[in-house]
Amino acid sequence: DSGNDCVRTVSVSTGLVSTLAGSGTKGLQDGPSLESKFSFPYGVAVTPDGSAVYVADSGNNLVRKIDVHTGDVTTVAGQGTAGYQDGPAAEANFYGPRSLVISKDSRMVYIADYGNHRVRILDLETNLVSTLPGSEPKGLSHVLTFTSEQYYRPAGVAVTDDGFTVVVADSTNTRIRAIQTPEGDEKAATRSASAAGSILAHHPDHH
């Protein structure tokens, strides 16, 4: 609930709406769910086991986590300053993250980093933030220019069940884009090597 600076739930069976986290006052505060504070929370993603909710806290330039069992809210990535920096999660910077999705194995969080025109990756095992290999802004002057191969304000992300492809809502370019994850690239390379080996095995004269 971006305007109310909180995260809400709707019970499908009863239709009741309740607040999962956030005091309703804009700010930045971790801690017990209803005492915590957010600033324009834009996107949420639930872990496959339902134990946690990750939040793209857009106004605070952070990724936050709500523990469903304890109700505690913690900051898992970002310094709270708008910017662009990869590295250890606590030292990373985002710029208005809008959306996020969690891989099926619960290891990777893919983040639509709207203001940085990039898709970022938070590895929950190594606690490192990186940038999904792909496109970057062509220029950083007052008027940004972008080619059709570059993202421009990515606003939404989804990931395939096998974890090999991230689908991106490239909002200002008005396109839906698909890009392979590092795991997908590795799988593709393995398939190519296997196919090449098979061809050589069947056509030894071409060595």
Side-chain angles (χ1 to χ4, degrees):
D1 188 350
S2 184
N4 284 316
D5 300 298
C6 58
V7 178
R8 319 281 290 279
T9 63
V10 181
S11 172
V12 175
S13 58
T14 66
L16 292 177
V17 176
S18 58
T19 298
L20 178 64
S23 65
T25 301
K26 190 184 305 298
L28 172 56
Q29 182 174 314
D30 288 337
S33 60
L34 299 183
E35 297 176 15
S36 63
K37 294 180 181 180
F38 298 85
S39 178
F40 295 110
Y42 237 97
V44 295
V46 182
T47 55
D49 64 3
S51 64
V53 178
Y54 285 80
V55 183
D57 191 358
S58 187
N60 283 320
N61 305 296
L62 298 170
V63 177
R64 315 281 294 281
K65 176 185 175 183
I66 306 167
D67 187 309
V68 173
H69 300 304
T70 66
D72 287 338
V73 175
T74 55
T75 297
V76 294
Q79 301 185 66
T81 302
Y84 172 68
Q85 182 171 310
D86 286 337
E91 300 174 11
N93 284 328
F94 302 90
Y95 190 177
R98 283 288 182 97
S99 174
L100 38 73
V101 65
I102 302 170
S103 62
K104 196 172 183 180
D105 63 2
S106 297
R107 174 173 177 174
M108 302 293 190
V109 182
Y110 297 95
I111 304 149
D113 194 357
Y114 185 83
N116 280 319
H117 313 288
R118 294 169 169 93
V119 176
R120 314 287 293 282
I121 307 171
L122 168 61
D123 187 323
L124 296 176
E125 287 191 5
T126 65
N127 211 33
L128 293 174
V129 173
S130 59
T131 298
L132 185 65
S135 308
E136 296 183 355
K138 183 177 180 182
L140 294 175
S141 60
H142 292 297
V143 179
L144 294 178
T145 57
F146 295 81
T147 69
S148 60
E149 289 78 28
Q150 295 165 329
Y151 299 117
Y152 195 173
R153 295 176 181 156
V157 287
V159 64
T160 54
D161 284 346
D162 60 14
F164 295 157
T165 305
V166 173
V167 180
V168 183
D170 190 3
S171 66
T172 304
N173 280 326
T174 62
R175 287 175 169 86
I176 302 297
R177 316 281 286 277
I179 185 168
Q180 283 191 316
T181 63
E183 293 78 12
D185 285 336
E186 182 179 336
K187 185 72 173 180
T190 301
R191 285 198 302 264
S192 296
S194 177
S198 178
I199 291 170
L200 290 174
H202 287 85
H203 301 280
D205 293 340
H206 291 279
H207 283 214

